[in-house]
Amino acid sequence: VQLQASGGGLVQTGGSLRLSCSASGRTFSSYYVGWFRQAPGKEREFVAGIRWNTDSTDYTDSAKGRFTISRDNAKNTVALQMNSLKPEDTAVYYCAAGNSVAALRVMFPRAYDYWGQGTQVTVSS
């Protein structure tokens, strides 16, 4: 499975961006798809995730109320709508997928089998 993340860019504080993660090689069905981010000098951290076959979602506290993760069956993509962006959201955002990501392990990068290349999100103050 190859993942492609897109949609990053430069926005001002309070702005919005929509990231997209597409898969080639197979469909996302039965997978858990997560978005992570990594700022310079910091560890990669979980942002949000969605379990494809149940549509259940998970968010980190900083994302709740501002970010929304969703899936598009027809396009085999997962989107991350990010609103009310803050400078601290600046990071490279990665999408990842795993076919056996347990509910208590969604925030751990090692739980995922496949990773996209990352897309830069920069929020100016």
Side-chain angles (χ1 to χ4, degrees):
V1 178
Q2 292 184 323
L3 304 182
Q4 178 77 31
S6 62
L10 172 64
V11 295
Q12 293 184 335
T13 296
S16 299
L17 282 173
R18 185 176 180 86
L19 306 184
S20 181
C21 179
S22 61
S24 61
R26 64 166 297 163
T27 65
F28 275 133
S29 60
S30 80
Y31 277 68
Y32 187 95
V33 181
W35 283 97
F36 287 76
R37 67 187 182 187
Q38 188 166 19
K42 295 187 176 181
E43 293 186 353
R44 192 168 297 190
E45 65 173 356
F46 176 80
V47 177
I50 186 167
R51 196 167 298 280
W52 193 271
N53 56 1
T54 64
D55 210 26
S56 64
T57 58
D58 301 286
Y59 296 92
T60 190
D61 286 345
S62 64
K64 289 178 182 177
R66 299 189 300 129
F67 296 0
T68 303
I69 190 169
S70 61
R71 60 178 171 84
D72 186 321
N73 289 351
K75 296 181 180 179
N76 198 38
T77 59
V78 172
L80 183 67
Q81 177 67 41
M82 305 188 296
N83 299 326
S84 303
L85 284 163
K86 306 174 182 179
E88 51 263 45
D89 294 317
T90 295
V92 177
Y93 283 70
Y94 299 89
C95 63
N99 59 12
S100 57
V101 180
L104 295 179
R105 294 188 55 80
V106 300
M107 73 289 294
F108 297 109
R110 291 186 176 182
Y112 296 79
D113 304 304
Y114 308 102
W115 289 84
Q117 85 290 358
T119 185
Q120 176 70 47
V121 171
T122 303
V123 185
S124 63
S125 57

